[in-house]
């Protein structure tokens, strides 16, 4: 079971962002945990991060050919990118929308997600462990 884990803008500088919201972890450490969790769960994860919307779309289009599941934290694109939404809509496999912070308990503009209605599951406000939960949800869903 091959899973694309895609992190969007500003998640490359996770270690510089508010630790009370984002867990005080670096992207490198987060991705190391994701690879370890995936391997425990018998999943094959491929972690990607980009600050470029077009690059994210290209990664998603490529993943249509190989991914059995998608974990996506679209960062701020969550709240307004219909281009990203259209790309996510192409997925026939389960999609998990992940946010480190609890976007429903923050500024009003963060409460709206253009991805939400396409997501099979949503995991918000659980910090880095939210990615583990996302992988567990996929492991339980994706046929062997
Ligand atoms: C985020 C929440 C978004 O509102 C924000 O723009 C991010 C990160 C999260 O993981 O909590 O960059 O997606």
């Amino acid at each position: 079971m091959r899973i694309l884990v895609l992190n969007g803008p500003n998640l490359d500088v996770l270690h510089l962002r508010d630790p009370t919201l984002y867990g005080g972890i670096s992207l490198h450490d987060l991705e190391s945990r994701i690879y370890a969790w995936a391997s425990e769960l018998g999943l094959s994860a491929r972690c990607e991060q980009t600050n470029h919307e077009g690059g994210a779309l290209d990664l998603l289009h490529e993943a249509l050919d190989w991914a059995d599941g998608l974990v996506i934290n679209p960062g701020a694109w969550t709240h307004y990118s219909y281009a990203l939404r259209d790309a996510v809509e192409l997925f026939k496999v389960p999609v998990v929308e992940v946010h480190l912070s609890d976007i429903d308990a923050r500024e009003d503009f963060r409460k709206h997600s253009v991805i939400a209605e396409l997501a099979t599951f949503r995991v918000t406000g659980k910090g880095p462990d939210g990615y583990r939960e996302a992988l567990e949800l996929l492991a339980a869903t994706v046929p062997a």
Side-chain angles (χ1 to χ4, degrees), residues 1-116:
M1 303 173 208
R2 293 150 301 171
I3 310 297
L4 174 63
V5 181
L6 179 58
N7 282 301
N10 297 305
L11 292 168
D12 56 326
V13 287
L14 202 49
H15 58 293
L16 301 179
R17 300 183 73 181
D18 184 343
T20 62
L21 292 170
Y22 296 116
I25 189 177
S26 69
L27 180 66
H28 180 267
D29 287 351
L30 176 62
E31 290 184 342
S32 298
R33 289 189 201 180
I34 290 168
Y35 284 122
W37 290 327
S39 123
E40 275 172 36
L41 292 163
L43 302 172
S44 167
R46 174 174 154 194
C47 292
E48 297 284 353
Q49 187 278 330
T50 178
N51 292 323
H52 305 280
E53 193 174 6
L57 301 182
D58 290 342
L59 285 163
L60 290 168
H61 294 170
E62 286 160 21
L64 292 171
D65 289 336
W66 62 265
D68 302 306
L70 172 66
V71 174
I72 184 165
N73 181 345
W77 291 330
T78 304
H79 313 298
Y80 65 87
S81 176
Y82 297 114
L84 192 76
R85 185 193 193 285
D86 285 348
V88 170
E89 194 171 28
L90 296 169
F91 279 77
K92 307 266 183 271
V93 296
V95 173
V96 191
E97 177 186 353
V98 173
H99 300 282
L100 292 150
S101 65
D102 181 0
I103 55 173
D104 292 317
R106 297 182 61 192
E107 302 95 322
D108 281 347
F109 77 87
R110 294 189 202 273
K111 291 179 181 154
H112 179 64
S113 164
V114 300
I115 305 296

Side-chain angles (χ1 to χ4, degrees), residues 111-131:
K111 291 179 181 154
H112 179 64
S113 164
V114 300
I115 305 296
E117 68 181 13
L118 303 175
T120 317
F121 304 104
R122 301 181 78 218
V123 182
T124 66
K126 299 199 171 166
D129 286 346
Y131 289 81

